[in-house]
């Protein structure tokens, strides 16, 4: 068994990240439920549609990150397979691509 300190720190960080993402998923799912409860106010429809789309996207992003954590593929770029720098993942935990690939995708 390796006793590499960096790997140990990574495992701890990943465990904390999983907890954070699980909490975040619950928050977003609760918000989604609240948003889909019809208040019957047409004036709210436009705002709520936008909020719903954003919240749905958050749920997808967070659950996708949790899935990758479970698969052991978390932190690898889906495009080129390179490791996504931890600094990037700390800012954007659901990042699926490294910076160069993300830039290419954005065009
Ligand atoms: Zn990449």
């Amino acid at each position: 068994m390796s006793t590499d300190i960096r790997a140990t720190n990574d495992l701890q960080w990943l465990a904390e990240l999983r907890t954070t993402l699980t909490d975040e998923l619950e928050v977003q799912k609760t918000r989604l439920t609240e948003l889909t409860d019809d208040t019957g106010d047409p004036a709210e429809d436009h705002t709520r549609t936008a909020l719903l789309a954003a919240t749905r996207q958050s749920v997808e992003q967070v659950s996708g990150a949790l899935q990758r954590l479970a698969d052991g593929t978390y932190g690898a770029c889906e495009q080129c397979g390179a490791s996504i720098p931890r600094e990037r993942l700390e800012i954007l935990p659901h990042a699926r691509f490294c910076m160069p690939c993300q830039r290419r995708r954005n065009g």
Side-chain angles (χ1 to χ4, degrees):
M1 282 299 287
S2 166
T3 50
D4 188 279
I5 279 179
R6 203 182 68 89
T8 308
N9 283 344
D10 279 356
L11 281 179
Q12 189 181 353
W13 178 66
L14 288 173
E16 283 166 12
L17 187 64
R18 191 190 311 250
T19 306
T20 307
L21 287 171
T22 304
D23 289 349
E24 177 67 12
L25 189 61
E26 285 310 307
V27 169
Q28 297 294 344
K29 276 183 173 170
T30 304
R31 189 173 297 166
L32 202 58
T33 308
E34 286 167 1
L35 285 167
T36 45
D37 282 344
D38 196 355
T39 59
D41 184 353
E44 279 187 7
D45 272 6
H46 182 75
T47 313
R48 197 166 52 180
T49 303
L51 270 173
L52 255 178
T55 307
R56 283 212 176 97
Q57 194 183 19
S58 295
V59 168
E60 274 173 31
Q61 286 173 334
V62 173
S63 51
L66 280 167
Q67 184 61 53
R68 293 195 296 283
L69 274 171
D71 291 348
T73 58
Y74 183 80
C77 172
E78 289 184 13
Q79 187 73 38
C80 70
S83 293
I84 301 171
R86 181 155 149 183
E87 304 84 68
R88 173 161 164 76
L89 290 170
E90 281 174 353
I91 298 165
L92 204 65
H94 54 74
R96 293 164 56 203
F97 305 101
C98 66
M99 283 300 278
C101 289
Q102 185 69 61
R103 259 190 237 111
R104 273 197 289 276
R105 291 178 69 87
N106 291 345

